[in-house]
Structure formats: structure tokens, C-alpha cells
Amino acid sequence: MEDLQRIWTDRYTVNWYEADAMNRASIVTICKYLQESAWNHANHLGCGYRTANAVNQIWVIVRLLVNMERFPSWGETITVRTWPRGLEGLLALRDFEVLDDQGTRIGAAASQWLILDAQTRKPQPAMIVRDILPLVTSEPVMDEQPEKIHIHDPLPFQYTVKARYGDIDMYQHVNNTRYLQWTLNLFPEEQLRTRHLSMMMIEFLNESRLGDEINLFGDPSTNPSFARGVRQEDDKTIFRVKLRWG
């Protein structure tokens, strides 16, 4: 236990293919960095993919909230710090900080995860994290926390996307960052170029798989903006998103 790192640190340099049209890391890129660091730390702590796979379980992210003061530019190196924040019922909590090369915080994130049975996809108690609970840092990284996204007004239909092979991850379902990219495609180019996306919260409700057709609903004219993806076949909501613009 003494050799285990309570807080995990990774450094990332924004590659040209991770930058958007404004030469900055997109929110999709930031979310990929966060989840890569979560993966790395969980493996280091002995409760990651290999440990879960050995007992026929998988980790899935349920909710992710990201606040960004600014997005790093192409070629800029940033540091992601992450740590577990304990259990809340069946949910495992994990927080993040994003620092620039001078150590100034430019972003923070909070996430909620579940352990599922790999076959039934039913939630399981997160027993594989019990041994590392003494390493938990209970103080939240920020006041705002992920929560259920309530969409009170009907959202207009925007477009339909079909899940292709390139959208599928190692668990054979659509990679969660694809949902965020599909959501961003709802917004006009001018808004994405000129408005600062200060907050993103995404809630994952159901899996989607290769060949699924997802209807995207959203209203880009509001702030905060809301969106959701609904599978055509059974009308199940796959994900919900809330975005706040500066």
C-alpha cells in the first residue's frame, strides 16, 4: 500500500490531430485524456481493466462533468491529476485537475463509475476497490457535481447517425466520447469558433452497438444547451448532455 500513488499524474502534449479548427484541444480530446488517466491510475491501484476482467466485470462511466477555464493549444503540454473520491452506493467517484505547464489549473472534472457484470450488464458492488479506500481523497475537486440531467422541454430533432465500426470500443459498444462528438455537431460553426464551452456534463443511460441508429435531439440556441441521443429501434435514450457557454 505504501508504494501506491494516492494521486496519479500524466502529462499530455496536444497533437495536431487532437486540435480543433481554432487550434485548441477540443472537449472530446480533454475527455479522452481524463479517461486515459483514470484507466492508468486504476491499473496502478490494482482495480483496473485486468482485475475487473478476471472476475467477469467491466468498468463503465455513468456521468462526467468537466469545467474548463480555457482549452490548451496545439503543441501545449498539460498535466492531468486524478484520484478516487470513494463510493456512493454502487457508484465509484473519481476527480481530476487539468494544469498548464506553469502548474495553473485550467480545468477540473468529476466522474461517477459503475462496475457491471460483463454478461448481464447488471450493476455490481465495487468490491475490487475496497482495498484502496484508505487512499481515497474525500474532498471534492469542485463544488459542482455530476447529477441527473433533467430536460424539461421537448428538444427538436436534428439528425440521425449510425454507429459504425470506428465508433466501437473494446467492450463492443459505442465509445462514450463519440456521443460527445455527435452532440458538438449539433452546433453551428460560428458558435463553436467564437463561444467558450465552460462546462460539459454528460450522462450515459444505455449502451449502443454497431449498426444502431441514434436520433440526435438538441437546441443550440439556449444557454445552457441540452441534447440527447435516442436509439431508433426501441426509443431508448442512450445519453443526455448539458453544455454551458461563456
Side-chain angles (χ1 to χ4, degrees):
M1 186 73 71
E2 293 180 359
D3 296 332
L4 295 180
Q5 297 182 34
R6 183 186 299 268
I7 297 176
W8 185 264
T9 300
D10 282 315
R11 287 171 64 82
Y12 299 97
T13 299
V14 180
N15 293 291
W16 65 268
Y17 53 82
E18 298 172 312
D20 61 14
M22 297 303 292
N23 214 28
R24 301 172 301 206
S26 69
I27 186 65
V28 176
T29 296
I30 296 298
C31 289
K32 288 179 179 179
Y33 291 164
L34 299 180
Q35 293 183 66
E36 179 72 13
S37 290
W39 177 288
N40 291 341
H41 196 202
N43 283 336
H44 167 75
L45 294 174
C47 57
Y49 168 77
R50 293 180 181 85
T51 304
N53 188 59
V55 292
N56 201 38
Q57 294 179 334
I58 61 173
W59 279 107
V60 294
I61 189 167
V62 179
R63 296 185 184 97
L64 175 63
L65 168 66
V66 183
N67 282 318
M68 294 297 294
E69 295 181 27
R70 74 172 182 87
F71 289 89
S73 302
W74 169 37
E76 187 174 349
T77 297
I78 62 170
T79 298
V80 171
R81 301 172 75 244
T82 183
W83 56 91
R85 198 161 54 79
L87 299 175
E88 194 173 274
L90 292 176
L91 294 173
L93 312 181
R94 175 172 284 276
D95 283 357
F96 305 83
E97 280 187 321
V98 182
L99 310 176
D100 66 15
D101 214 19
Q102 286 71 51
T104 301
R105 188 162 106 173
I106 61 173
S111 59
Q112 300 172 349
W113 303 72
L114 277 176
I115 286 279
L116 302 183
D117 182 280
Q119 267 67 55
T120 67
R121 294 307 207 244
K122 299 295 185 183
Q124 305 291 309
M127 300 301 294
I128 62 174
V129 306
R130 300 288 181 182
D131 290 344
I132 60 100
L133 288 180
L135 295 174
V136 162
T137 301
S138 58
E139 186 68 25
V141 72
M142 56 188 174
D143 293 334
E144 193 173 10
Q145 291 297 305
E147 60 186 8
K148 183 175 182 179
I149 297 174
H150 297 281
I151 301 176
H152 302 289
D153 299 319
L155 297 174
F157 169 77
Q158 298 290 342
Y159 72 97
T160 300
V161 63
K162 185 173 183 177
R164 307 284 185 178
Y165 181 79
D167 299 318
I168 306 303
D169 65 16
M170 63 191 298
Y171 294 129
Q172 307 306 306
H173 58 206
V174 174
N175 185 287
N176 62 72
T177 59
R178 287 289 194 271
Y179 300 137
L180 186 51
Q181 186 61 66
W182 295 345
T183 298
L184 292 179
N185 290 340
L186 297 173
F187 293 86
E189 177 187 359
E190 181 181 1
Q191 182 168 343
L192 295 173
R193 285 180 178 271
T194 61
R195 300 285 297 278
H196 172 63
L197 179 57
S198 60
M199 185 279 290
M200 183 284 302
M201 182 161 56
I202 186 164
E203 182 178 22
F204 305 100
L205 300 170
N206 289 287
E207 292 180 288
S208 60
R209 296 178 176 273
L210 182 67
D212 283 353
E213 293 186 310
I214 310 298
N215 293 331
L216 275 294
F217 298 83
D219 187 353
S221 66
T222 63
N223 190 15
S225 306
F226 294 90
R228 67 187 182 108
V230 179
R231 185 163 47 219
Q232 266 190 10
E233 181 182 8
D234 55 10
D235 205 36
K236 280 189 175 181
T237 297
I238 304 300
F239 67 94
R240 299 189 189 103
V241 182
K242 179 180 179 181
L243 303 172
R244 188 181 302 130
W245 304 88

